[in-house]
Amino acid sequence: MTPPHIDLHIVSQGYDRIHCWVHARVAAIPGETHPHALITTQPLWLAGSDVFYEINTFLSKDLGQTWSGPQAHLAELGRRPCEENLEEVLADFTPGWHAATGVVLGTGLNGFYRENTQLSYPAQRKTSYSVYHPQTGQWAPWKKLESPLIEGAGCTQRVDLPDGRILLPTYLRAAAPAADRVLFSATVMQCGFDGETLHYLGHGTELTLPTGRGFVEPSLTEYGGRFYLTLRNDEAGYVSTSEDGLHYTAPQRWCFDDGSELGSYNTQQHWLTGGGGLYLVYTRRGANNDHIMRHRAPLFLARVDPERLCVLRETEQILIPERGARLGNFGVARVNDRESWVSVAEWMQTTAPNPYDPTVCERYGANNRIYFARVLF
């Protein structure tokens, strides 16, 4: 099979060494002649750990050739003050077109800071979301999903069903074997959505693992009438399947088709479908990338065997190049069976002993580029 063609563009580049763009994720908005590309991203304070600010957007009406933005959405998608001198932020945000209602629904989670120090997993953690109306170009103020769970759908990839219901992967705190450990379970929530409000309808299997922090940042796709879930664990990436989108098989480690481990660990993977095939987008060890935090660059694209649940090594190609900065927090949008989009920002923090020194990334050529890649079949 002919490998997909990658048409790579740079949305923006350059930064002030105080903040950099992160979490650049793309949505496809149908248009009269061709879809518009919307990318959401937010500033990160380089002197802290996961210290985020308001969501911004870039918009392209010519398939990524030119872009307008960034446009900040401080009032609608910015930080909010809350009790005990805390601030609440919308983070780990992923936008996606919801065809049944004709809007973009972005989902993520809420984080908490005290004097720009992130709090550990709080009891108030919830999936948080906002709606973008293409007709007005406006985002609605972000809201939190009402559910009985303490969970957050951060950095996840959802599936919209034909009737408008949503299968939204998320992760929640699980019972840990020791009081000093934090352990998470991944699950898929079924939600209703009326174009304004997301409604919790239930959730399926709670998947966990007694190693590391369990499972976080799950991502979901549907292919050939079956559902595929990829899962982040500290030691390795895992994959599971379902016939109904809610109840899943025991997860197994991601491997190549020769039986060797994929080498993706402690970071997210996302799905891409097109050209009649199922693909995984991921990072991994073993790519002359020991200088990259958790080997989170370059971004790879490879075809998946949907029956054996393995990555076909000979199909692997570099999707986004490595230039000294990590690329692990990215987004994927399906346009149609002939085209999908991937976006990512160069995250300008590095490995110890100087993780907050962005000049380490710069030595390899990184400049906080936001990349937009068209994957053509």
Side-chain angles (χ1 to χ4, degrees):
M1 178 175 289
T2 303
H5 172 72
I6 298 167
D7 181 19
L8 185 63
H9 301 264
I10 295 174
V11 176
S12 74
Q13 60 182 319
Y15 72 117
D16 60 8
R17 291 184 175 169
I18 300 172
H19 303 92
C20 74
W21 297 117
V22 295
H23 292 302
R25 296 192 174 95
V26 64
I29 303 173
E32 291 184 3
T33 56
H34 52 68
H36 296 174
L38 173 75
I39 290 176
T40 58
T41 184
Q42 61 193 135
L44 169 90
W45 183 43
L46 286 166
S49 177
D50 286 349
V51 179
F52 305 115
Y53 293 88
E54 73 281 352
I55 303 291
N56 286 241
T57 56
F58 290 86
L59 184 67
S60 176
K61 298 182 179 180
D62 57 7
L63 297 176
Q65 299 293 326
T66 60
W67 295 85
S68 61
Q71 180 182 356
H73 304 282
L74 185 61
E76 302 87 356
L77 305 179
R79 289 190 184 187
R80 297 173 180 171
C82 52
E83 73 279 359
E84 300 178 0
N85 299 318
L86 298 180
E87 286 186 298
E88 193 174 13
V89 70
L90 173 62
D92 295 358
F93 194 69
T94 301
W97 177 252
H98 188 259
T101 57
V103 300
V104 172
L105 171 65
T107 55
L109 51 74
N110 58 330
F112 295 88
Y113 302 120
R114 179 177 285 115
E115 296 179 352
N116 266 356
T117 298
Q118 187 183 48
L119 302 188
S120 60
Y121 199 81
Q124 298 87 356
R125 175 60 53 83
K126 288 291 182 183
T127 286
S128 302
Y129 66 96
S130 179
V131 175
Y132 175 80
H133 297 272
Q135 298 83 356
T136 64
Q138 298 295 313
W139 287 92
W142 65 274
K143 299 191 279 189
K144 289 178 273 190
L145 174 66
E146 295 183 9
S147 81
L149 307 176
I150 301 172
E151 53 75 35
C155 302
T156 69
Q157 186 178 16
R158 72 176 199 254
V159 168
D160 296 345
L161 300 175
D163 63 4
R165 285 177 300 142
I166 293 170
L167 295 176
L168 180 62
T170 189
Y171 60 99
L172 58 150
R173 193 157 184 171
D180 61 347
R181 282 192 60 192
V182 176
L183 193 67
F184 294 101
S185 295
T187 190
V188 175
M189 298 187 295
Q190 184 174 200
C191 298
F193 180 60
D194 58 13
E196 295 183 1
T197 303
L198 196 62
H199 302 278
Y200 169 86
L201 301 177
H203 71 282
T205 311
E206 296 181 14
L207 301 170
T208 195
L209 196 68
T211 61
R213 291 169 292 172
F215 288 134
V216 298
E217 297 180 347
S219 279
L220 182 67
T221 195
E222 185 274 332
Y223 175 79
R226 193 181 185 194
F227 295 91
Y228 295 81
L229 190 68
T230 186
L231 303 146
R232 170 181 171 177
N233 174 259
D234 289 359
E235 296 181 359
Y238 281 74
V239 60
S240 177
T241 65
S242 170
E243 299 301 321
D244 63 3
L246 292 173
H247 302 93
Y248 285 83
T249 59
Q252 65 185 60
R253 285 197 182 207
W254 273 116
C255 291
F256 285 111
D257 49 332
D258 61 8
S260 61
E261 287 207 11
L262 182 63
S264 182
Y265 69 100
N266 207 1
T267 194
Q268 59 206 239
Q269 314 94 39
H270 298 306
W271 300 101
L272 187 151
T273 59
L278 175 65
Y279 292 80
L280 191 71
V281 184
Y282 57 93
T283 59
R284 64 168 176 83
R285 298 183 180 92
N288 297 317
N289 55 353
D290 289 348
H291 57 291
I292 301 295
M293 185 264 203
R294 296 176 185 166
H295 300 88
R296 289 183 177 178
L299 273 188
F300 291 101
L301 171 70
R303 189 162 181 172
V304 171
D305 185 317
E307 298 303 323
R308 292 188 291 162
L309 299 181
C310 59
V311 172
L312 304 179
R313 186 187 285 273
E314 67 176 9
T315 70
E316 183 184 77
Q317 58 182 312
I318 291 176
L319 177 60
I320 310 286
E322 175 267 306
R323 291 193 171 95
R326 66 196 203 235
L327 303 172
N329 294 68
F330 61 97
V332 178
R334 175 183 165 88
V335 180
N336 52 49
D337 196 51
R338 300 179 305 279
E339 182 169 349
S340 287
W341 297 340
V342 179
S343 64
V344 70
E346 292 179 322
W347 188 309
M348 302 297 291
Q349 290 177 324
T350 186
T351 57
N354 300 305
Y356 305 132
D357 179 5
T359 64
V360 176
C361 302
E362 291 176 8
R363 291 173 201 154
Y364 296 87
N367 193 25
N368 195 211
R369 296 174 188 87
I370 296 179
Y371 288 104
F372 170 77
R374 298 175 63 204
V375 181
L376 306 169
F377 295 91

